[in-house]
Amino acid sequence: MRPGPTTSRRAPRGATRPSSRGAKPGRDLSRPLPAALSWGVLSAFAAALALGLILDVVPWWLAAWYGAASLVAVAAYGADKAAARRAAPRVAEQTLHLVDAAGGWPGALVAQQLFRHKTRKRSFRRAFWATVVVNVLLGVGVVALLGSPALVSGGITDRLGG
């Protein structure tokens, strides 16, 4: 007899559910972080970068570097997701982290959300967010070391009318 629309197809009580998508035992999977966190961090970074460009605090080449590295990151994450679906050789996590650390983390955030890729593995996420923090700190350091006239001579407050 085939189950009808009111008959449930649930497993008996106490039975274990098969893991989703063939997850291997022992993998450090967890619930993904809320997508709003990724989009919020990305929006705040983009706004800060745009404001820095407008106020002539951030050099144009730094913004261009982030853009180019982000395109490379989207391509790398997309290639890795496609390889994962085909069970083909994957892009090494170290390579993805290297691209992230080199300034591609904004593109990596976009790719993670668009492709729903690399969002559940706890160890990957920890390393990824560490590259984001280090990269942002290095970016701030580069801007400070360059001694942008807007930073050094009070140009920001002058432009804002302070």
Side-chain angles (χ1 to χ4, degrees):
M1 176 171 130
R2 269 182 84 190
T6 58
T7 307
S8 174
R9 292 184 182 214
R10 297 172 98 182
R13 230 175 244 222
T16 58
R17 261 177 53 168
S19 58
S20 65
R21 297 187 188 185
K24 299 173 189 167
R27 288 182 64 196
D28 69 342
L29 299 181
S30 62
R31 294 183 75 192
L33 295 174
L37 174 67
S38 295
W39 293 118
V41 168
L42 186 62
S43 297
F45 177 75
L49 191 62
L51 184 62
L53 286 169
I54 291 168
L55 296 175
D56 199 27
V57 175
V58 175
W60 67 268
W61 57 263
L62 188 60
W65 179 268
Y66 276 115
S70 290
L71 291 175
V72 170
V74 169
Y77 277 75
D80 189 47
K81 179 67 174 192
R85 286 184 172 162
R86 297 190 311 269
R90 306 278 301 274
V91 176
E93 286 185 0
Q94 290 175 336
T95 302
L96 295 175
H97 289 314
L98 182 63
V99 171
D100 301 338
W105 68 267
L109 272 177
V110 170
Q112 287 173 7
Q113 296 305 313
L114 290 179
F115 304 140
R116 295 183 187 265
H117 189 54
K118 296 291 187 185
T119 58
R120 292 190 58 207
K121 189 173 180 185
R122 188 177 293 123
S123 60
F124 185 88
R125 283 195 332 227
R126 284 182 182 145
F128 172 76
W129 285 105
T131 64
V132 172
V133 169
V134 168
N135 191 269
V136 168
L137 291 175
L138 287 173
V140 169
V142 164
V143 169
L145 284 175
L146 289 175
S148 171
L151 278 176
V152 175
S153 65
I156 291 174
T157 55
D158 291 344
R159 291 174 192 225
L160 296 176

